[in-house]
Amino acid sequence: MSQRLWGGRFASGPSEAMANLSASVHFDWVLAPYDIAQSKAHARVLHTAGLLSADELQTMIDGLSTLADKSQKGEFIATHADEDVHTALERGLIETIGPEVGGKLRAGRSRNDQVSTDLRMYLRNSARYLASDVVDLQKAILVQAAAHVDHPAPGFTHLQHAQPVSFGHELAKHAHALSRDLERFIDWDDRAAKSPMGSGALAGSSLKLDPVAVAKELGFNGVVENSIDGVSDRDFVAEFLFITALLGVHLSRLGEEVCLWASREFGWATLDDAWSTGSSIMPQKKNPDVAELARGKSGRLIGHVTAMLTVLKGLPFAYNRDLQEDKESVIDSIETLHLLLPAMTGMMATLKFDTDKMLASAPEGFALATDIAEWVVQQGVPFREAHEIAGACVREAEAHGIELDALSDEQFAAIHPALTPEVRTVLTVEGSIASRSTVNGTAPSSVRAQLAGAGIVVSDFAKWAAHIPHAV
């Protein structure tokens, strides 16, 4: 008897090349526990509809439980001949309980609604597992940020010295970016939490099954409203891939900054030996490989969302085999992030910073020019003019090869009468940073409040991540 779930109208099986092209079991086997859970729920609605007796239902549930246990232990494995995860598991069920009962499970469902349901379950759980890894990284960043609230550093725009900032403020920005990624996962989850089961191939079923009961048992919040959309929708895949791609971009940007900080030119950060590597020819090297791989793997993640959108853009409704391309992209994105996130967490948690070097560098590049302009504004001068005055101070200091605080009282007065000796009160790094005490500013008092709020938000994310919606 053929293992295939189709073929009655075919006189022969597929060619070897066709079978090789069609096979997906080598990657969709990750859906096996979700497919078994879904099969149990489907068996129960078959019983409710009068299509399975109570004894048959119990036999089927027991058989599926045995299959789940054997699959988990590696005692039952899929083969290339199975084509896909659904075929493999039906073969396993029939081998376990026989074809008379096992063959009844297919009634009222199609691989089209099966795979869409399995994939939603897999991704909803995976979103939580990834969120847990992201939370760990956020916690490591926030610990470092809290340790460096009172340590000044240069702030940059265009990779040029801009204004002094609290280095804790600088570090914490990455935790906030990661929070937006987690917010996107939570928002995405609301749309992904609908079950396509009951859609059949595309038109539903005449067997009077109950999709609502299946959805409830499987941990969904409802049922997809349109059966055609139910089997052809992959928005939830494309959106998931976008979130993982943007998460990858945020990790890449953090990685780029670590590469800069750890460079000889900056010299701000020292990498722990456990989170760096050496050179095969240059004995002195300590390379920021984790940070560099974060940059590199972001390209891989971006590629997956691009590939998925390209697959979807020309598809008619309903199901088309092109949609088989969805799974490898999401599986690889998930596995990539599960490798990368713990490594980024370890690297960030163990970085050592040279705060003296950062402090010495903070005023360089005339970084206090804005403080002069804003001080002059407080003397009643319009900002347009104050900007010109501060620029003239920079020009004067640059001409003499000195920083702004080294200008004499006479030099200040010659530039503009508003520049009295009191201007020196703002020409310190600490004063500049402390003066920016808005709710989102870089003053240490503001940063401490920001970190406290961020800690609460991260705690909430951890709670969301701990709630796994689909028991398998």
Side-chain angles (χ1 to χ4, degrees):
M1 182 178 178
S2 171
Q3 292 179 178
R4 296 189 302 275
L5 301 184
W6 53 273
R9 60 96 63 216
F10 290 83
S12 66
S15 67
E16 182 179 358
M18 172 64 195
N20 290 338
L21 174 64
S22 182
S24 62
V25 73
H26 53 292
F27 55 80
D28 67 17
W29 187 243
V30 298
L31 301 179
Y34 301 97
D35 202 70
I36 292 172
Q38 181 202 125
S39 292
K40 289 182 178 181
H42 184 65
R44 291 188 178 95
V45 297
L46 287 174
H47 170 63
T48 302
L51 300 173
L52 286 178
S53 69
D55 287 344
E56 288 174 325
L57 172 62
Q58 192 58 54
T59 297
M60 195 170 284
I61 296 297
D62 290 345
L64 288 166
S65 295
T66 298
L67 189 58
D69 185 58
K70 287 184 175 180
S71 298
Q72 186 177 29
K73 293 177 179 177
E75 295 172 4
F76 175 81
I77 58 174
T79 69
H80 184 70
D82 286 319
E83 185 179 13
D84 58 35
V85 62
H86 320 294
T87 308
L89 291 174
E90 178 159 314
R91 172 178 64 82
L93 181 63
I94 289 174
E95 289 174 357
T96 303
I97 65 175
E100 185 175 345
V101 177
K104 293 186 175 184
L105 185 61
R106 282 172 55 189
R109 72 176 183 177
S110 162
R111 286 184 296 179
N112 296 359
D113 59 353
Q114 273 185 268
V115 71
S116 182
T117 305
D118 289 350
L119 194 52
R120 285 172 186 253
M121 294 168 71
Y122 168 70
L123 293 184
R124 292 188 71 214
N125 279 9
S126 294
R128 270 77 173 180
Y129 302 142
L130 288 175
S132 181
D133 286 349
V134 173
V135 163
D136 288 341
L137 176 56
Q138 287 182 299
K139 288 178 178 178
I141 291 170
L142 292 176
V143 167
Q144 287 277 27
H148 295 291
V149 171
D150 293 312
H151 295 142
F156 292 84
T157 63
H158 306 277
L159 205 55
Q160 304 292 317
H161 279 223
Q163 293 175 267
V165 296
S166 156
F167 191 60
H169 196 52
E170 185 77 45
L171 287 166
K173 72 177 188 283
H174 294 289
H176 291 288
L178 295 171
S179 285
R180 293 193 296 275
D181 295 320
L182 297 183
E183 288 168 359
R184 289 184 189 95
F185 270 132
I186 294 170
D187 183 57
W188 164 87
D189 188 62
D190 286 339
R191 287 182 291 283
K194 290 188 176 181
S195 169
M197 278 306 291
S199 297
L202 80 161
S205 171
S206 64
L207 297 180
K208 312 303 180 188
L209 305 180
D210 185 359
V212 175
V214 172
K216 184 175 181 181
E217 178 173 339
L218 294 179
F220 287 102
N221 298 337
V223 177
V224 171
E225 291 85 354
N226 183 294
S227 61
I228 301 174
D229 184 47
V231 298
S232 58
D233 167 39
R234 289 300 184 275
D235 290 3
F236 68 96
V237 175
E239 194 175 352
F240 183 94
L241 288 171
F242 170 75
I243 297 167
T244 57
L246 191 52
L247 171 56
V249 168
H250 289 148
L251 296 176
S252 178
R253 295 184 74 180
L254 172 58
E256 170 63 10
E257 291 201 346
V258 171
C259 288
L260 291 172
W261 296 338
S263 70
R264 180 70 177 174
E265 286 66 29
F266 271 71
W268 290 7
T270 300
L271 295 156
D272 189 88
D273 287 357
W275 302 104
S276 55
T277 66
S279 164
S280 60
I281 190 172
M282 296 172 284
Q284 82 281 8
K285 293 297 292 297
K286 179 182 275 194
N287 298 325
D289 283 22
V290 173
E292 291 174 354
L293 285 168
R295 290 187 314 203
K297 289 186 182 298
S298 66
R300 183 188 190 117
L301 296 166
I302 292 166
H304 286 319
V305 67
T306 303
M308 190 70 244
L309 290 172
T310 305
V311 167
L312 292 174
K313 72 176 181 60
L315 290 187
F317 281 28
Y319 182 84
N320 297 270
R321 194 60 181 272
D322 314 49
L323 294 176
Q324 183 170 300
E325 292 298 308
D326 58 4
K327 286 172 284 298
E328 286 182 282
S329 291
V330 290
I331 291 166
D332 184 72
S333 292
I334 290 164
E335 290 178 350
T336 295
L337 286 169
H338 278 316
L339 283 173
L340 181 57
L341 283 162
M344 291 290 283
T345 299
M347 178 188 69
M348 290 305 300
T350 56
L351 275 178
K352 302 296 183 186
F353 294 101
D354 188 335
T355 55
D356 290 337
K357 186 170 252 185
M358 286 189 280
L359 173 61
S361 183
E364 292 176 353
F366 313 111
L368 299 173
T370 303
D371 295 275
I372 293 176
E374 291 182 347
W375 185 84
V376 172
V377 165
Q378 292 179 55
Q379 314 313 307
V381 177
F383 183 78
R384 185 179 183 87
E385 184 181 352
H387 188 284
E388 295 295 319
I389 293 169
C393 292
V394 170
R395 188 167 60 250
E396 179 73 9
E398 195 170 33
H400 290 85
I402 58 177
E403 287 294 333
L404 290 169
D405 60 352
L407 289 171
S408 67
D409 291 348
E410 293 74 21
Q411 286 172 307
F412 276 127
I415 292 169
H416 195 278
L419 292 172
T420 63
E422 284 72 29
V423 71
R424 297 187 183 284
T425 61
V426 299
L427 289 180
T428 66
V429 167
E430 292 79 7
S432 172
I433 293 174
S435 70
R436 287 167 169 79
S437 57
T438 54
V439 67
N440 56 355
T442 193
S445 57
S446 298
V447 175
R448 287 192 179 88
Q450 294 158 18
L451 293 179
I456 293 169
V457 169
V458 169
S459 243
D460 289 341
F461 288 141
K463 291 174 187 174
W464 181 82
H467 177 68
I468 307 301
H470 302 296
V472 292

